[in-house]
């Protein structure tokens, strides 16, 4: 197992966020369409060149609504599939993190990769966990620790 699993995990989390945003957008459009009433006037037959009369027709845009509902169902199914994959991948990421020898690095990796914290937030958390540490954690310090780990691990590929 290599760092590729960490990269794929982060990418999948972003993909799920994007899919949720798209589902929310479709849901808002559908809500708007459900409240919308379409009105049209239609001529009824002709006698020569003159129409016999006009009729006002009202209704909902059923075709558009049904297409949006189908798209929403399709995206919801895809979201469920991705969430299942993410759950499986989370287990793999946790196993990878547990394989790291140093406890300090395991904590940093959990905070950064699993909890999605930024470097400064990871540094704050680490400082809270280890208040008596002589040299305080900084965002640059955390970033360097992660980079050095990947440089020194032989099974990891060089770049993403």
């Amino acid at each position: 197992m290599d760092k590729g699993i960490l990269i794929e995990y982060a990418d999948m989390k972003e993909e799920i966020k994007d899919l949720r945003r798209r589902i929310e957008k479709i849901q808002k459009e559908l809500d708007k369409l459900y409240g919308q009433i379409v009105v049209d006037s239609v001529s009824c037959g002709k006698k020569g060149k003159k129409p016999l009369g006009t009729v006002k027709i009202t209704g909902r845009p059923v075709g558009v609504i049904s297409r949006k509902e189908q798209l929403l169902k399709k995206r919801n199914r895809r979201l469920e599939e991705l969430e299942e994959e993410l759950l499986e991948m989370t287990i793999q990421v946790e196993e990878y993190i547990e394989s790291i020898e140093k406890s300090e690095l395991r904590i940093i990796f959990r905070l950064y990769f699993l909890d999605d914290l930024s470097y400064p937030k990871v540094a704050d958390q680490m400082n809270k966990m280890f208040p008596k540490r002589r040299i305080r954690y900084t965002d640059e310090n955390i970033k360097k620790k992660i980079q050095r780990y990947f440089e020194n691990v032989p099974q990891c590929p060089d770049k993403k």
Side-chain angles (χ1 to χ4, degrees):
M1 199 179 309
D2 62 4
K3 78 174 182 181
I5 190 76
L6 298 174
I7 294 168
E8 183 62 29
Y9 179 75
D11 291 346
M12 186 170 281
K13 283 172 86 171
E14 289 304 315
E15 183 180 4
I16 287 174
K17 283 181 191 175
D18 179 57
L19 191 56
R20 283 190 179 131
R21 181 188 56 79
R22 290 173 188 271
I23 287 172
E24 191 175 301
K25 180 181 174 190
I26 291 173
Q27 190 61 54
K28 285 180 183 176
E29 290 173 3
L30 269 173
D31 292 343
K32 199 180 286 185
L33 285 171
Y34 286 135
Q36 189 177 26
I37 295 177
V38 179
V39 179
D40 194 13
S41 60
V42 181
S43 60
C44 300
K46 287 188 176 186
K47 184 175 185 183
K49 293 185 178 181
K50 295 182 184 178
L52 295 173
T54 58
V55 177
K56 190 175 178 181
I57 298 175
T58 60
R60 287 202 167 98
V62 179
V64 175
I65 290 174
S66 66
R67 285 191 298 272
K68 295 269 184 190
E69 285 174 340
Q70 287 175 347
L71 182 61
L72 184 64
K73 286 179 186 175
K74 183 178 176 183
R75 287 194 175 160
N76 279 327
R77 280 194 305 271
R78 179 69 182 141
L79 179 63
E80 288 174 11
E81 291 170 7
L82 283 176
E83 285 176 338
E84 285 179 24
E85 284 181 46
L86 184 69
L87 193 59
E88 292 171 11
M89 197 171 285
T90 302
I91 294 168
Q92 292 176 347
V93 168
E94 287 175 347
E95 288 173 357
Y96 178 78
I97 290 173
E98 287 303 315
S99 71
I100 298 171
E101 292 177 17
K102 287 189 166 187
S103 174
E104 175 190 41
L105 277 175
R106 285 195 301 267
I107 295 170
I108 290 171
F109 272 57
R110 276 190 214 104
L111 292 172
Y112 184 72
F113 289 104
L114 290 176
D115 298 342
D116 255 353
L117 298 180
S118 62
Y119 292 128
K121 289 182 180 177
V122 171
D124 288 342
Q125 283 294 113
M126 292 298 287
N127 286 326
K128 288 177 186 173
M129 286 183 205
F130 303 102
K132 295 182 181 180
R133 188 171 190 256
R134 191 173 55 89
I135 300 172
R136 311 253 321 140
Y137 289 98
T138 64
D139 58 335
E140 198 60 35
N141 177 307
I142 297 294
K143 184 177 179 180
K144 280 292 183 188
K145 283 184 181 289
I146 292 173
Q147 286 176 346
R148 284 188 188 125
Y149 175 78
F150 287 130
E151 288 171 3
N152 295 330
V153 177
Q155 78 265 22
C156 293
D158 291 342
K159 297 286 179 190
K160 183 175 176 180

